Amino acid sequence: MAKKKLVVLTGAGVSAESGISTFRDSNGLWENYDPQEVASIEGWYRNRALLLDFYNMMRANLRDVRPNDAHRAIAALEADYDVRVITQNVDNLHERAGSTRILHLHGELTKVRPENGVYDQTYSEKEVFDIGYEAIHLGDKAPNGSQLRPHIVWFGEAVPKIEPAIDWVSQADILLIVGSSLSVYPAAGLYRYAPAAAPIYLIDPQEVAVHDARIIPIREKATVGMKKFIEMIGK
Ligand code: NAD
């Protein structure tokens, strides 16, 4: 029998217990930075050096953090479900926990690509490459001669992976949302594409302001919430 399709949409909260701050926690990495400045395309045009430093720091920090039990539980569910992970996170903790089908809606910290000109945000997947945990600086050029930039979707930019994400969600038998405030669009609207018969579980210690009768809230941190979710679906 074909495995049921379990689509998991994750936000910053799934990595919080690994020590990566969410936007809303006013501690750690974000404390000294305005997200609108370091996470927007306008911010990049205003001060490339500042953004490069910020993402170099985030990338270096990623080397020292580890997946937590929530990332591992999501990966382990592949034994029984056809699991697809759609993450808003730019970290690589789902990969390192063993998940095999992951869509990074907002890009990946360990990858870079050419800037390709002001106001021209187009690029081809062939131009994206992995730099691991290394730093990039002003003057570092891609093979086409353009300044390298982080492979991150900033506020003000298109979200090219939204179409495949909609496709995955619209085929889900079960949708699980973990650690997302559901306030950053278009990711926040993805759950609406779940088939009417699909239950939607939402793990978050805080109340998330969405109103959909299908949503089954699990008000816990990700690690504890994943255990409860697995009990609830009978695995
Ligand atoms: P968000 O910061 O807006 O919301 C995080 C949610 O996680 C909140 O609802 C919070 O209550 C919840 N949360 C906090 N601790 C938790 C825990 N231990 N377990 C479960 N949930 C917990 O994050 P978002 O919705 O992902 O969107 C903001 C944007 O921030 C995204 O675009 C994302 O790319 C970016 N971001 C990414 C990372 C990362 O890659 N790890 C970290 C910070 C921000």
Side-chain angles (χ1 to χ4, degrees):
M1 205 172 74
K3 289 177 179 173
K4 278 190 175 177
K5 288 198 172 74
L6 169 62
V7 176
V8 187
L9 173 65
T10 65
V14 77
S15 297
E17 289 166 90
S18 293
I20 303 182
S21 317
T22 68
F23 267 166
R24 291 168 158 207
D25 299 329
S26 53
N27 60 31
L29 278 178
W30 298 101
E31 201 172 50
N32 300 314
Y33 294 91
D34 172 4
Q36 282 299 339
E37 199 54 34
V38 293
S40 75
I41 186 66
E42 291 81 12
W44 169 253
Y45 293 142
R46 267 196 292 274
N47 195 342
R48 288 173 172 79
L50 174 83
L51 266 73
L52 288 171
D53 281 353
F54 177 75
Y55 289 96
N56 287 341
M57 181 183 70
M58 295 260 289
R59 200 177 299 112
N61 183 56
L62 186 53
R63 185 202 293 266
D64 301 325
V65 297
R66 302 274 171 271
N68 63 50
D69 283 349
H71 298 104
R72 282 189 282 271
I74 292 166
L77 280 166
E78 288 191 16
D80 299 296
Y81 290 86
D82 175 356
V83 182
R84 315 270 168 110
V85 179
I86 302 169
T87 186
Q88 297 174 79
N89 294 343
V90 296
D91 65 48
N92 57 5
L93 298 181
H94 285 301
E95 284 86 346
R96 285 159 60 190
S99 283
T100 59
R101 280 182 298 268
I102 306 164
L103 223 158
H104 280 273
L105 270 185
H106 295 161
E108 294 169 75
L109 262 180
T110 53
K111 293 184 178 171
V112 296
R113 66 174 200 255
E115 178 193 41
N116 285 342
V118 177
Y119 304 121
D120 176 7
Q121 292 160 25
T122 54
Y123 65 94
S124 107
E125 284 295 331
K126 287 191 203 124
E127 293 178 308
V128 178
F129 65 95
D130 208 306
I131 54 161
Y133 303 107
E134 298 302 314
I136 53 168
H137 301 101
L138 266 188
D140 289 347
K141 302 278 168 60
N144 71 359
S146 174
Q147 170 67 44
L148 284 178
R149 58 162 277 178
H151 181 50
I152 303 283
V153 176
W154 287 317
F155 291 120
E157 296 195 290
V159 183
K161 298 266 167 71
I162 196 69
E163 291 299 329
I166 289 172
D167 191 46
W168 282 10
V169 173
S170 62
Q171 294 175 43
D173 294 307
I174 304 172
L175 178 63
L176 168 65
I177 305 169
V178 189
S180 175
S181 62
L182 296 180
S183 56
V184 178
Y185 281 83
L190 270 175
Y191 75 89
R192 299 197 188 107
Y193 292 91
I200 304 174
Y201 295 84
L202 194 162
I203 300 173
D204 201 298
Q206 306 285 330
E207 189 175 351
V208 176
V210 281
H211 304 285
D212 187 310
R214 285 178 300 166
I215 293 182
I216 304 160
I218 302 175
R219 286 278 292 272
E220 298 285 358
K221 289 184 171 181
T223 51
V224 176
M226 279 307 299
K227 289 198 187 98
K228 290 202 171 170
F229 167 73
I230 289 165
E231 280 166 24
M232 286 162 93
I233 59 169
K235 266 275 115 234

